[in-house]
Amino acid sequence: MKASRLAATGALAASAVVVLSSPAFAHVTVQPEGTAAKGGYAVIDFKVPNERDNASTTKLEVSFPTDHPLASAMPEPIDGWDIKVTKSKLAKPIEMHGEKINEAVSKITWTAKDGGVKPGFFQKFPVSVGTLPEDADELTFKALQTYSNKEVVRWIEVQQKGQEEPENPAPVLALSAAGDDHAHGSTAEDASDNAKDTENAAADTSADSDSSDTTARVLGIVGIVVGALGVAYGVLAGRRRSDA
């Protein structure tokens, strides 16, 4: 009896852990494609999983940070979705490429034209943003996820330091140091070096080809001369026999 009770208690505890932890896998999140370096541009993906078994996700509304406004935010077109970009006037203008910007993107809304994100699937919503702030380590984007049954999940709770993760955390984009994009420069330099190596190899191959062509021509001329000498020798030999 004690063993069966312990087994039942263990099973109940395990199921409770699964139930309590499963929503953590269904959060709306945001991640960069590559790096999101301070002071630069980046393409970020809002990943929206469908956590319902009987409804589809038909709308996503993402509010952009007001404490660090982004002057540029261009969503990528997605088949089957209408996209609306909302801009708002800034209380304090920001400077971008030497010009003062008086408004910035405050919200982007994706609305499904037909089925949306069905149960068991997820959808990525890419946005090109910039310039990223230099005086922040992260950006918080509050999101609303609407289902086909009219249910709305509000991913707007801000994570507090030293506390447990909230039930519906807002998507947070971590920013890397401005110098972290040197990897891209190294890649470019490596590509340039590879291109130079390829050119040098091509030049060497061309030189070898020219050398081979020259050798073939010389041998061809030598062959012709030898053949002509052979013919001349044969003619002379024939005449000598005739005279004899």
Side-chain angles (χ1 to χ4, degrees), residues 88-117:
S88 300
K89 290 186 178 180
L90 299 174
K92 182 180 179 180
I94 58 177
E95 188 171 330
M96 181 176 179
H97 301 306
E99 297 182 1
K100 288 187 176 181
I101 306 298
N102 296 315
E103 64 177 12
V105 173
S106 57
K107 183 171 68 174
I108 298 182
T109 303
W110 291 266
T111 304
K113 297 179 181 178
D114 41 39
V117 185

Side-chain angles (χ1 to χ4, degrees), residues 76-83 110-116 123-125:
E76 180 179 328
I78 302 176
D79 292 339
W81 293 81
D82 285 325
I83 306 175
W110 291 266
T111 304
K113 297 179 181 178
D114 41 39
Q123 176 71 51
K124 286 184 179 181
F125 299 86

Side-chain angles (χ1 to χ4, degrees), residues 10 12-13 19 21 25 53 64 67 82 105 114 119 121 123 127 153 170:
L12 181 60
V19 171
S21 62
F25 296 100
D53 296 329
F64 279 62
D67 54 344
D82 285 325
V105 173
D114 41 39
F121 292 86
Q123 176 71 51
V127 183
V153 180

Side-chain angles (χ1 to χ4, degrees), residues 56-236:
S56 299
T57 296
T58 56
K59 181 187 290 187
L60 174 68
E61 300 173 73
V62 175
S63 295
F64 279 62
T66 56
D67 54 344
H68 294 93
L70 300 174
S72 176
M74 297 182 292
E76 180 179 328
I78 302 176
D79 292 339
W81 293 81
D82 285 325
I83 306 175
K84 179 182 179 182
V85 179
T86 302
K87 293 185 177 182
S88 300
K89 290 186 178 180
L90 299 174
K92 182 180 179 180
I94 58 177
E95 188 171 330
M96 181 176 179
H97 301 306
E99 297 182 1
K100 288 187 176 181
I101 306 298
N102 296 315
E103 64 177 12
V105 173
S106 57
K107 183 171 68 174
I108 298 182
T109 303
W110 291 266
T111 304
K113 297 179 181 178
D114 41 39
V117 185
K118 299 182 182 300
F121 292 86
F122 73 90
Q123 176 71 51
K124 286 184 179 181
F125 299 86
V127 183
S128 174
V129 296
T131 54
L132 297 173
E134 298 181 0
D135 57 347
D137 295 325
E138 61 184 27
L139 295 177
T140 300
F141 299 84
K142 296 183 179 182
L144 302 181
Q145 182 180 9
T146 302
Y147 288 89
S148 55
N149 59 4
K150 307 304 180 183
E151 178 188 3
V152 178
V153 180
R154 301 169 63 84
W155 303 99
I156 62 173
E157 298 177 9
V158 179
Q159 173 72 53
Q160 301 298 328
K161 292 183 178 180
Q163 297 184 10
E164 295 182 357
E165 184 182 48
E167 183 178 355
N168 295 314
V172 176
L173 175 67
L175 303 180
S176 59
D180 286 353
D181 59 356
H182 72 280
H184 298 288
S186 298
T187 301
E189 292 175 1
D190 292 341
S192 177
D193 292 340
N194 290 338
K196 291 180 180 179
D197 291 341
T198 302
E199 291 178 359
N200 293 335
D204 293 341
T205 302
S206 177
D208 293 341
S209 177
D210 293 341
S211 178
S212 299
D213 292 342
T214 301
T215 302
R217 290 174 182 174
V218 171
L219 292 176
I221 294 173
V222 171
I224 293 174
V225 172
V226 171
L229 291 175
V231 171
Y233 178 78
V235 171
L236 291 175

